[in-house]
Short mmCIF file of all heavy atoms in Angstrom, two decimals:
data_model
loop_
_atom_site.label_atom_id
_atom_site.label_comp_id
_atom_site.label_asym_id
_atom_site.label_seq_id
_atom_site.Cartn_x
_atom_site.Cartn_y
_atom_site.Cartn_z
N ARG A 123 67.19 51.90 66.22
CA ARG A 123 66.90 53.23 66.73
C ARG A 123 66.97 53.19 68.26
O ARG A 123 66.32 52.37 68.89
CB ARG A 123 65.53 53.70 66.26
CG ARG A 123 65.25 55.17 66.55
CD ARG A 123 63.98 55.65 65.87
NE ARG A 123 63.78 57.07 66.05
CZ ARG A 123 64.32 58.02 65.31
NH1 ARG A 123 65.10 57.67 64.30
NH2 ARG A 123 64.09 59.30 65.54
N GLU A 124 67.77 54.08 68.81
CA GLU A 124 67.97 54.11 70.25
C GLU A 124 66.75 54.70 70.96
O GLU A 124 66.36 55.84 70.71
CB GLU A 124 69.21 54.93 70.60
CG GLU A 124 69.56 54.93 72.08
CD GLU A 124 69.81 53.55 72.64
OE1 GLU A 124 70.93 53.03 72.47
OE2 GLU A 124 68.86 52.99 73.21
N LYS A 125 66.13 53.91 71.82
CA LYS A 125 64.96 54.35 72.59
C LYS A 125 65.30 54.61 74.05
O LYS A 125 64.50 55.19 74.78
CB LYS A 125 63.86 53.28 72.50
CG LYS A 125 63.35 53.00 71.09
CD LYS A 125 62.55 54.16 70.55
CE LYS A 125 61.91 53.81 69.22
NZ LYS A 125 61.12 54.95 68.68
N ARG A 126 66.46 54.16 74.47
CA ARG A 126 66.84 54.29 75.88
C ARG A 126 67.52 55.63 76.13
O ARG A 126 68.30 56.09 75.29
CB ARG A 126 67.79 53.15 76.26
CG ARG A 126 67.19 51.76 76.08
CD ARG A 126 68.27 50.69 76.01
NE ARG A 126 69.12 50.83 74.83
CZ ARG A 126 70.10 50.01 74.49
NH1 ARG A 126 70.36 48.97 75.28
NH2 ARG A 126 70.82 50.21 73.41
N PRO A 127 67.23 56.27 77.25
CA PRO A 127 67.88 57.55 77.54
C PRO A 127 69.36 57.36 77.82
O PRO A 127 69.79 56.33 78.33
CB PRO A 127 67.14 58.05 78.78
CG PRO A 127 66.62 56.81 79.44
CD PRO A 127 66.29 55.87 78.33
N ASP A 128 70.14 58.37 77.46
CA ASP A 128 71.57 58.33 77.77
C ASP A 128 71.80 58.54 79.26
O ASP A 128 71.00 59.20 79.94
CB ASP A 128 72.30 59.44 77.00
CG ASP A 128 72.41 59.14 75.51
OD1 ASP A 128 72.54 57.96 75.16
OD2 ASP A 128 72.36 60.09 74.72
N PRO A 129 72.89 58.01 79.80
CA PRO A 129 73.22 58.28 81.21
C PRO A 129 73.31 59.79 81.44
O PRO A 129 73.94 60.49 80.64
CB PRO A 129 74.59 57.61 81.37
CG PRO A 129 74.63 56.54 80.32
CD PRO A 129 73.86 57.09 79.17
N PRO A 130 72.69 60.31 82.48
CA PRO A 130 72.70 61.76 82.73
C PRO A 130 74.09 62.36 82.78
O PRO A 130 74.28 63.54 82.43
CB PRO A 130 71.99 61.87 84.08
CG PRO A 130 71.12 60.66 84.17
CD PRO A 130 71.88 59.58 83.48
N VAL A 131 75.08 61.59 83.20
CA VAL A 131 76.43 62.11 83.33
C VAL A 131 77.02 62.52 81.99
O VAL A 131 77.97 63.31 81.92
CB VAL A 131 77.35 61.05 84.01
CG1 VAL A 131 77.62 59.88 83.08
CG2 VAL A 131 78.64 61.68 84.50
N LEU A 132 76.44 62.03 80.88
CA LEU A 132 76.97 62.33 79.55
C LEU A 132 76.44 63.63 78.97
O LEU A 132 76.98 64.15 77.99
CB LEU A 132 76.66 61.18 78.58
CG LEU A 132 77.27 59.83 78.89
CD1 LEU A 132 76.95 58.84 77.78
CD2 LEU A 132 78.78 59.94 79.08
N GLY A 133 75.37 64.17 79.53
CA GLY A 133 74.78 65.39 78.98
C GLY A 133 75.66 66.61 79.21
O GLY A 133 76.33 66.73 80.23
N LEU A 134 75.67 67.52 78.22
CA LEU A 134 76.44 68.75 78.37
C LEU A 134 75.90 69.84 77.45
O LEU A 134 75.18 69.56 76.49
CB LEU A 134 77.93 68.52 78.09
CG LEU A 134 78.40 68.27 76.66
CD1 LEU A 134 79.92 68.48 76.58
CD2 LEU A 134 78.06 66.88 76.18
N ASP A 135 76.24 71.08 77.77
CA ASP A 135 75.79 72.24 77.00
C ASP A 135 76.98 72.87 76.29
O ASP A 135 77.98 73.21 76.93
CB ASP A 135 75.13 73.28 77.91
CG ASP A 135 73.95 72.71 78.69
OD1 ASP A 135 73.29 71.81 78.15
OD2 ASP A 135 73.71 73.15 79.83
#
Side-chain angles (χ1 to χ4, degrees):
R123 190 170 185 85
E124 185 59 82
K125 298 290 186 180
R126 300 161 295 183
D128 287 326
V131 71
L132 297 184
L134 72 163
D135 303 328

